[in-house]
Amino acid sequence: MEKEFRSGCPISSTLDVIGDKWSLLIIRDMLVKHKKTFKEISDSDERIAPSILSARLKLLESYKLIFKIKVLENKKENIYLLTPKGISLTPIIVEFSLWGTDNMREFTKIDKIEGLNLDKSHIIKAVQGGYNGMVNTFS
């Protein structure tokens, strides 16, 4: 299904999908903090409103960055997981973290993230490996 974008520019098209205030934070919480349910994601530090979270989850699902499955014990509850396409955003999440740590401290209190002084490729592999390990418990 072809989607409407502002232009054919890959940067613009990417921003149309993940450039809003919430999408990368949702992906961060899923990828790094292993949040899987609507409640877990909505309980993040940024306190996303339920209506916005619902809309963003639907958007991310429509672009195949995430998918949902039903909880076996509770058929009313969904578990949201990243697709390989969603997991491939790890380098962007890492770069945003590094850039924010280096450049935003003078404006606000930035949490110190352990291990950011490591080689980026090691960080990316560790984050992706940790997420894939968590997801394998659902297989």
Side-chain angles (χ1 to χ4, degrees), residues 45-62:
D45 293 340
E46 292 82 13
R47 298 285 184 223
I48 185 170
S51 60
I52 295 172
L53 176 56
S54 180
R56 289 307 181 279
L57 290 171
K58 286 177 185 166
L59 176 77
L60 295 172
E61 188 175 15
S62 77

PDB file of all heavy atoms in Angstrom, residues 45-62:
ATOM      1  N   ASP A  45       8.837   8.135  31.204  1.00  0.00           N
ATOM      2  CA  ASP A  45       9.116   9.415  31.858  1.00  0.00           C
ATOM      3  C   ASP A  45       8.446  10.587  31.158  1.00  0.00           C
ATOM      4  O   ASP A  45       8.082  11.569  31.793  1.00  0.00           O
ATOM      5  CB  ASP A  45      10.626   9.669  31.917  1.00  0.00           C
ATOM      6  CG  ASP A  45      11.342   8.695  32.836  1.00  0.00           C
ATOM      7  OD1 ASP A  45      10.686   8.081  33.699  1.00  0.00           O
ATOM      8  OD2 ASP A  45      12.558   8.542  32.672  1.00  0.00           O
ATOM      9  N   GLU A  46       8.284  10.508  29.853  1.00  0.00           N
ATOM     10  CA  GLU A  46       7.728  11.626  29.083  1.00  0.00           C
ATOM     11  C   GLU A  46       6.209  11.725  29.178  1.00  0.00           C
ATOM     12  O   GLU A  46       5.628  12.715  28.774  1.00  0.00           O
ATOM     13  CB  GLU A  46       8.144  11.521  27.607  1.00  0.00           C
ATOM     14  CG  GLU A  46       9.616  11.747  27.388  1.00  0.00           C
ATOM     15  CD  GLU A  46      10.489  10.515  27.656  1.00  0.00           C
ATOM     16  OE1 GLU A  46       9.927   9.402  27.774  1.00  0.00           O
ATOM     17  OE2 GLU A  46      11.709  10.667  27.760  1.00  0.00           O
ATOM     18  N   ARG A  47       5.551  10.698  29.687  1.00  0.00           N
ATOM     19  CA  ARG A  47       4.099  10.695  29.925  1.00  0.00           C
ATOM     20  C   ARG A  47       3.287  11.033  28.673  1.00  0.00           C
ATOM     21  O   ARG A  47       2.566  12.016  28.626  1.00  0.00           O
ATOM     22  CB  ARG A  47       3.732  11.650  31.058  1.00  0.00           C
ATOM     23  CG  ARG A  47       4.337  11.291  32.380  1.00  0.00           C
ATOM     24  CD  ARG A  47       3.606  10.100  32.955  1.00  0.00           C
ATOM     25  NE  ARG A  47       4.112   9.796  34.283  1.00  0.00           N
ATOM     26  CZ  ARG A  47       4.357   8.585  34.707  1.00  0.00           C
ATOM     27  NH1 ARG A  47       4.139   7.554  33.918  1.00  0.00           N
ATOM     28  NH2 ARG A  47       4.802   8.370  35.916  1.00  0.00           N
ATOM     29  N   ILE A  48       3.361  10.183  27.695  1.00  0.00           N
ATOM     30  CA  ILE A  48       2.582  10.359  26.472  1.00  0.00           C
ATOM     31  C   ILE A  48       1.104  10.125  26.774  1.00  0.00           C
ATOM     32  O   ILE A  48       0.743   9.187  27.499  1.00  0.00           O
ATOM     33  CB  ILE A  48       3.104   9.417  25.363  1.00  0.00           C
ATOM     34  CG1 ILE A  48       2.398   9.673  24.044  1.00  0.00           C
ATOM     35  CG2 ILE A  48       3.016   7.966  25.778  1.00  0.00           C
ATOM     36  CD1 ILE A  48       3.021   8.941  22.857  1.00  0.00           C
ATOM     37  N   ALA A  49       0.257  10.966  26.247  1.00  0.00           N
ATOM     38  CA  ALA A  49      -1.188  10.824  26.445  1.00  0.00           C
ATOM     39  C   ALA A  49      -1.677   9.548  25.755  1.00  0.00           C
ATOM     40  O   ALA A  49      -1.195   9.208  24.667  1.00  0.00           O
ATOM     41  CB  ALA A  49      -1.909  12.034  25.882  1.00  0.00           C
ATOM     42  N   PRO A  50      -2.620   8.846  26.352  1.00  0.00           N
ATOM     43  CA  PRO A  50      -3.108   7.583  25.760  1.00  0.00           C
ATOM     44  C   PRO A  50      -3.603   7.727  24.325  1.00  0.00           C
ATOM     45  O   PRO A  50      -3.333   6.860  23.489  1.00  0.00           O
ATOM     46  CB  PRO A  50      -4.242   7.163  26.696  1.00  0.00           C
ATOM     47  CG  PRO A  50      -3.903   7.791  28.008  1.00  0.00           C
ATOM     48  CD  PRO A  50      -3.237   9.096  27.662  1.00  0.00           C
ATOM     49  N   SER A  51      -4.301   8.802  24.009  1.00  0.00           N
ATOM     50  CA  SER A  51      -4.813   8.971  22.640  1.00  0.00           C
ATOM     51  C   SER A  51      -3.671   9.137  21.638  1.00  0.00           C
ATOM     52  O   SER A  51      -3.731   8.605  20.521  1.00  0.00           O
ATOM     53  CB  SER A  51      -5.762  10.157  22.568  1.00  0.00           C
ATOM     54  OG  SER A  51      -5.099  11.346  22.955  1.00  0.00           O
ATOM     55  N   ILE A  52      -2.634   9.862  22.044  1.00  0.00           N
ATOM     56  CA  ILE A  52      -1.473  10.049  21.164  1.00  0.00           C
ATOM     57  C   ILE A  52      -0.710   8.744  21.021  1.00  0.00           C
ATOM     58  O   ILE A  52      -0.304   8.359  19.922  1.00  0.00           O
ATOM     59  CB  ILE A  52      -0.565  11.175  21.687  1.00  0.00           C
ATOM     60  CG1 ILE A  52      -1.309  12.509  21.617  1.00  0.00           C
ATOM     61  CG2 ILE A  52       0.748  11.236  20.906  1.00  0.00           C
ATOM     62  CD1 ILE A  52      -0.591  13.659  22.277  1.00  0.00           C
ATOM     63  N   LEU A  53      -0.531   8.030  22.134  1.00  0.00           N
ATOM     64  CA  LEU A  53       0.168   6.744  22.080  1.00  0.00           C
ATOM     65  C   LEU A  53      -0.560   5.778  21.156  1.00  0.00           C
ATOM     66  O   LEU A  53       0.056   5.112  20.325  1.00  0.00           O
ATOM     67  CB  LEU A  53       0.314   6.150  23.486  1.00  0.00           C
ATOM     68  CG  LEU A  53       0.951   4.765  23.549  1.00  0.00           C
ATOM     69  CD1 LEU A  53       2.329   4.740  22.888  1.00  0.00           C
ATOM     70  CD2 LEU A  53       1.040   4.302  24.999  1.00  0.00           C
ATOM     71  N   SER A  54      -1.858   5.706  21.286  1.00  0.00           N
ATOM     72  CA  SER A  54      -2.647   4.817  20.434  1.00  0.00           C
ATOM     73  C   SER A  54      -2.453   5.164  18.960  1.00  0.00           C
ATOM     74  O   SER A  54      -2.225   4.280  18.122  1.00  0.00           O
ATOM     75  CB  SER A  54      -4.126   4.918  20.819  1.00  0.00           C
ATOM     76  OG  SER A  54      -4.896   4.072  20.021  1.00  0.00           O
ATOM     77  N   ALA A  55      -2.504   6.455  18.642  1.00  0.00           N
ATOM     78  CA  ALA A  55      -2.327   6.885  17.250  1.00  0.00           C
ATOM     79  C   ALA A  55      -0.923   6.564  16.745  1.00  0.00           C
ATOM     80  O   ALA A  55      -0.753   6.104  15.606  1.00  0.00           O
ATOM     81  CB  ALA A  55      -2.603   8.388  17.133  1.00  0.00           C
ATOM     82  N   ARG A  56       0.089   6.777  17.591  1.00  0.00           N
ATOM     83  CA  ARG A  56       1.472   6.518  17.162  1.00  0.00           C
ATOM     84  C   ARG A  56       1.705   5.018  16.979  1.00  0.00           C
ATOM     85  O   ARG A  56       2.400   4.613  16.042  1.00  0.00           O
ATOM     86  CB  ARG A  56       2.478   7.074  18.168  1.00  0.00           C
ATOM     87  CG  ARG A  56       2.584   8.568  18.210  1.00  0.00           C
ATOM     88  CD  ARG A  56       2.853   9.176  16.837  1.00  0.00           C
ATOM     89  NE  ARG A  56       2.971  10.608  16.890  1.00  0.00           N
ATOM     90  CZ  ARG A  56       1.960  11.462  16.911  1.00  0.00           C
ATOM     91  NH1 ARG A  56       0.726  11.027  16.890  1.00  0.00           N
ATOM     92  NH2 ARG A  56       2.162  12.757  16.940  1.00  0.00           N
ATOM     93  N   LEU A  57       1.166   4.201  17.863  1.00  0.00           N
ATOM     94  CA  LEU A  57       1.324   2.749  17.705  1.00  0.00           C
ATOM     95  C   LEU A  57       0.690   2.288  16.394  1.00  0.00           C
ATOM     96  O   LEU A  57       1.274   1.474  15.672  1.00  0.00           O
ATOM     97  CB  LEU A  57       0.730   2.005  18.900  1.00  0.00           C
ATOM     98  CG  LEU A  57       1.500   2.155  20.216  1.00  0.00           C
ATOM     99  CD1 LEU A  57       0.701   1.564  21.370  1.00  0.00           C
ATOM    100  CD2 LEU A  57       2.881   1.527  20.133  1.00  0.00           C
ATOM    101  N   LYS A  58      -0.470   2.822  16.066  1.00  0.00           N
ATOM    102  CA  LYS A  58      -1.126   2.471  14.796  1.00  0.00           C
ATOM    103  C   LYS A  58      -0.281   2.933  13.608  1.00  0.00           C
ATOM    104  O   LYS A  58      -0.145   2.212  12.620  1.00  0.00           O
ATOM    105  CB  LYS A  58      -2.527   3.083  14.728  1.00  0.00           C
ATOM    106  CG  LYS A  58      -3.515   2.374  15.620  1.00  0.00           C
ATOM    107  CD  LYS A  58      -4.870   3.048  15.601  1.00  0.00           C
ATOM    108  CE  LYS A  58      -5.775   2.355  16.613  1.00  0.00           C
ATOM    109  NZ  LYS A  58      -6.980   3.120  16.905  1.00  0.00           N
ATOM    110  N   LEU A  59       0.289   4.144  13.706  1.00  0.00           N
ATOM    111  CA  LEU A  59       1.138   4.654  12.637  1.00  0.00           C
ATOM    112  C   LEU A  59       2.373   3.768  12.453  1.00  0.00           C
ATOM    113  O   LEU A  59       2.696   3.352  11.340  1.00  0.00           O
ATOM    114  CB  LEU A  59       1.577   6.092  12.935  1.00  0.00           C
ATOM    115  CG  LEU A  59       2.549   6.702  11.925  1.00  0.00           C
ATOM    116  CD1 LEU A  59       1.797   7.133  10.665  1.00  0.00           C
ATOM    117  CD2 LEU A  59       3.296   7.866  12.532  1.00  0.00           C
ATOM    118  N   LEU A  60       3.053   3.463  13.560  1.00  0.00           N
ATOM    119  CA  LEU A  60       4.254   2.627  13.485  1.00  0.00           C
ATOM    120  C   LEU A  60       3.930   1.239  12.950  1.00  0.00           C
ATOM    121  O   LEU A  60       4.719   0.655  12.202  1.00  0.00           O
ATOM    122  CB  LEU A  60       4.922   2.544  14.864  1.00  0.00           C
ATOM    123  CG  LEU A  60       5.479   3.871  15.404  1.00  0.00           C
ATOM    124  CD1 LEU A  60       5.944   3.706  16.846  1.00  0.00           C
ATOM    125  CD2 LEU A  60       6.598   4.400  14.520  1.00  0.00           C
ATOM    126  N   GLU A  61       2.768   0.729  13.318  1.00  0.00           N
ATOM    127  CA  GLU A  61       2.346  -0.578  12.807  1.00  0.00           C
ATOM    128  C   GLU A  61       2.044  -0.495  11.304  1.00  0.00           C
ATOM    129  O   GLU A  61       2.400  -1.402  10.542  1.00  0.00           O
ATOM    130  CB  GLU A  61       1.122  -1.071  13.580  1.00  0.00           C
ATOM    131  CG  GLU A  61       0.747  -2.487  13.258  1.00  0.00           C
ATOM    132  CD  GLU A  61      -0.389  -3.009  14.112  1.00  0.00           C
ATOM    133  OE1 GLU A  61      -1.105  -2.221  14.765  1.00  0.00           O
ATOM    134  OE2 GLU A  61      -0.570  -4.247  14.110  1.00  0.00           O
ATOM    135  N   SER A  62       1.429   0.591  10.860  1.00  0.00           N
ATOM    136  CA  SER A  62       1.089   0.730   9.437  1.00  0.00           C
ATOM    137  C   SER A  62       2.337   0.784   8.558  1.00  0.00           C
ATOM    138  O   SER A  62       2.293   0.381   7.399  1.00  0.00           O
ATOM    139  CB  SER A  62       0.207   1.959   9.213  1.00  0.00           C
ATOM    140  OG  SER A  62       0.957   3.153   9.246  1.00  0.00           O
TER     141      SER A  62
END
